[in-house]
Amino acid sequence: MKKVLITGAAGFLGSHLCDRFIKEGFYVIAMDNLITGNIKNIEHLFPLKEFEFHHHDVTKFVHLPGKLDYILHFASPASPIDYLKIPIETLKVGSLGTLNLLGLAKEKKSRILVASTSEVYGDPLVHPQNEEYYGNVSPIGPRGVYDEAKRFMESITMAYHRFHGVDTRIVRIFNTYGSRMRLNDGRVVPAFMGQALRGEDLTVFGDGSQTRSFCYIDDQVEGIYRLLMSDYTNPVNIGNPHETTILEFAQEIIMLTGTEQKIVFKPLPKDDPLQRQPDIAKAKEILGWEPKVGRAEGLKIVFDYFKSLSPEELQKKKHRDFSGTV
Ligand code: UDP
């Protein structure tokens, strides 16, 4: 049985990856310090004999006995509200955490895939963003702690690959949505859906002309899985190129949820990228991958998920409203 270590396993992406690798017949070692992850996301896997959980912070030395075939490094805060609350932890997990896991991969001769992000492109001057673009990032802005940690992650991963011959993969993940996102993490999908469900107005930051391109979780997991199994060692964008402005997106959520609330405008947070759309030519060519789930279909599934939460969980909101404050 192949063994895989998944860090950030109790998070949104990590928990869906645990499900996928269990389904594929792997032995899954899940690791999380639960700083932003939620154990409930993986509770259903605890009874399985091919699953184990380690409550551990990967910025500290990571040791596991026995062989290890694959490592997926997905531990990191991943929403702007989190970077503001825990900036040092964000920097540490991307740098020290990645260093520890690369060391483990070298020791165990494991293949390692690290979770990078479209944020390495910053507020992009090239549109859509392809993997050759170097990005436009402020190292000292509020997002710098995440963006630079992930850029360092890519850099040290390539160094381990070139210098130590470690078998590495780098995925650049664009905006992704699905069940198990935290209602209060401030990201726009749970923010708008939570507001609709609580009967609050939808808060659009800026004039809503900034764009994003949203990928459904199952498509994202499929892309990551294919990249891990491929031979390709340079970064690959995985995301859905279907772009929308945030204002149109708010209108779409109003239609979908049937809420009678209106849209209210709040100041745009500092360094909020004005546009973001993945160029997925590489993923298509190398992995034979492209997204299958359209936004209307995916958003409906996610809305049904949020609707199924208890009223207490829904009220536990309180979504970020740090627009204009940073
Ligand atoms: N956004 C918004 N209202 C909210 C939350 C977010 O208008 O209540 C905007 C935000 O300013 C950004 C976009 O939605 O332009 C996506 O934000 P998110 O935090 O989901 O992801 P990121 O900015 O990292 O792409």
Side-chain angles (χ1 to χ4, degrees):
M1 202 176 211
K2 295 272 186 209
K3 262 193 186 175
V4 58
L5 166 67
I6 301 178
T7 75
F12 161 52
L13 283 172
S15 65
H16 283 280
L17 285 165
C18 287
D19 287 341
R20 174 67 187 260
F21 280 84
I22 287 286
K23 217 164 110 198
E24 297 286 343
F26 284 74
Y27 187 97
V28 173
I29 304 168
M31 197 171 274
D32 206 299
N33 66 354
L34 301 178
I35 188 171
T36 55
N38 184 348
I39 200 80
K40 281 200 184 129
N41 290 338
I42 45 172
E43 230 168 30
H44 58 287
L45 300 173
F46 276 61
L48 303 180
K49 62 179 186 331
E50 58 276 21
F51 180 84
E52 63 186 60
F53 176 69
H54 296 238
H55 187 187
H56 181 72
D57 177 349
V58 296
T59 66
K60 311 270 164 30
F61 184 76
V62 182
H63 175 71
L64 290 171
K67 69 152 195 166
L68 186 61
D69 300 287
Y70 298 103
I71 299 173
L72 285 104
H73 181 29
F74 278 70
S76 177
S79 84
I81 202 168
D82 289 335
Y83 330 142
L84 283 180
K85 264 197 295 198
I86 42 174
I88 315 288
E89 286 85 345
T90 305
L91 279 158
K92 279 171 75 179
V93 74
S95 54
L96 303 179
T98 305
L99 173 68
N100 286 336
L101 292 159
L102 285 163
L104 184 68
K106 175 168 164 262
E107 165 73 21
K108 302 272 183 190
K109 304 198 175 9
S110 326
R111 178 176 295 177
I112 177 168
L113 181 147
V114 298
S116 186
T117 165
S118 53
E119 283 285 316
V120 299
Y121 302 122
D123 191 4
L125 305 175
V126 161
H127 196 69
Q129 294 78 55
N130 60 44
E131 289 86 347
E132 277 65 50
Y133 178 50
Y134 293 162
N136 176 36
V137 172
S138 162
I140 57 167
R143 287 174 179 254
V145 295
Y146 184 63
D147 302 6
E148 296 295 2
K150 293 294 189 179
R151 289 169 68 97
F152 176 84
M153 166 190 262
E154 290 199 8
S155 184
I156 193 169
T157 298
M158 289 314 288
Y160 265 71
H161 175 65
R162 294 192 183 115
F163 191 74
H164 287 308
V166 173
D167 192 13
T168 56
R169 305 286 181 274
I170 300 173
V171 59
R172 290 188 180 150
I173 298 170
F174 281 67
N175 294 69
T176 299
Y177 66 96
S179 60
R180 304 180 189 155
M181 292 185 95
R182 268 162 42 221
L183 260 179
N184 63 353
D185 84 352
R187 282 181 288 187
V188 71
V189 173
F192 285 173
M193 288 199 177
Q195 287 166 338
L197 284 167
R198 291 188 300 267
E200 296 167 4
D201 291 336
L202 272 62
T203 51
V204 166
F205 297 164
D207 62 4
S209 63
Q210 71 273 32
T211 70
R212 293 294 186 274
S213 311
F214 297 99
C215 183
Y216 184 61
I217 181 69
D218 291 359
D219 284 331
Q220 183 62 246
V221 166
E222 179 64 28
I224 292 166
Y225 190 82
R226 287 191 192 203
L227 176 60
L228 180 70
M229 297 306 162
S230 79
D231 299 333
Y232 194 73
T233 53
N234 280 330
V236 178
N237 290 339
I238 299 288
N240 189 323
H242 187 189
E243 188 181 13
T244 174
T245 68
I246 293 301
L247 183 57
E248 280 163 1
F249 188 61
Q251 283 151 353
E252 205 175 320
I253 300 282
I254 288 177
M255 292 292 288
L256 167 78
T257 59
T259 173
E260 282 165 15
Q261 304 306 312
K262 53 183 195 317
I263 290 171
V264 292
F265 293 91
K266 303 265 178 155
L268 191 68
K270 185 165 170 13
D271 293 342
D272 197 290
L274 288 182
Q275 48 182 8
R276 194 184 280 156
Q277 182 191 32
D279 178 336
I280 58 164
K282 208 156 255 170
K284 276 189 185 163
E285 186 197 318
I286 294 164
L287 312 177
W289 174 89
E290 62 183 320
K292 298 257 179 306
V293 182
R295 222 170 37 233
E297 186 188 346
L299 286 176
K300 193 176 167 324
I301 301 170
V302 180
F303 186 55
D304 287 344
Y305 164 78
F306 283 128
K307 260 200 309 205
S308 73
L309 298 179
S310 66
E312 298 79 65
E313 273 172 306
L314 262 185
Q315 288 309 325
K316 249 199 275 157
K317 37 167 188 175
K318 185 54 189 167
H319 119 82
R320 89 172 148 173
D321 187 2
F322 70 88
S323 58
T325 61
V326 290

